[in-house]
Amino acid sequence: MNRFLTAIAVGVFVLSGSAKGATVDFQFNAALRTGALAGTDFSGTASYDNQGETGSGTEYFPLTSLNFTLFGVSFTKADIDQGGQAILQNGALFDFTAAFFSAAASQFSSE
């Protein structure tokens, strides 16, 4: 049975400044939240371009990169099946979305 690989970011650390129209790099710590591997922690890096940011309310920007390794399997932005957005709240990075299905999830399936 295939299990979806979903994670929730539990900590985000911004590495670069937040000048408008700049690539913003960040590190994250996350944990799998569903399936047999729920509670498994991992970390990675990602970035987004904040071009057009107003600094007011909730804003969404596409991720420009995403990299992490889980159980020896590398995941990148190219592997994202759904999501792939940085979420800012009043100009501060609040969360990001990325979901992986199909081949990636089957590597972690249980029979």
Side-chain angles (χ1 to χ4, degrees):
M1 155 188 337
N2 284 342
R3 301 221 183 258
F4 292 106
L5 173 62
T6 58
I8 183 168
V10 293
V12 176
F13 178 70
V14 178
L15 297 176
S16 68
S18 60
K20 304 290 189 278
T23 297
V24 179
D25 301 307
F26 62 95
Q27 295 179 332
F28 63 89
N29 295 309
L32 298 178
R33 63 181 182 179
T34 60
L37 301 174
T40 301
D41 296 324
F42 63 100
S43 60
T45 60
S47 63
Y48 65 94
D49 185 333
N50 67 358
Q51 180 68 39
E53 178 188 335
T54 67
S56 179
T58 303
E59 299 179 273
Y60 302 86
F61 296 92
L63 293 177
T64 55
S65 72
L66 176 68
N67 298 287
F68 66 92
T69 301
L70 185 60
F71 299 111
V73 178
S74 295
F75 291 84
T76 69
K77 179 182 175 284
D79 300 312
I80 297 173
D81 290 309
Q82 184 176 334
Q85 295 179 316
I87 304 169
L88 278 64
Q89 186 66 42
N90 296 321
L93 181 61
F94 174 73
D95 204 352
F96 72 96
T97 64
F100 306 86
F101 311 117
S102 306
S106 68
Q107 296 178 46
F108 303 105
S109 66
S110 60
E111 307 280 323

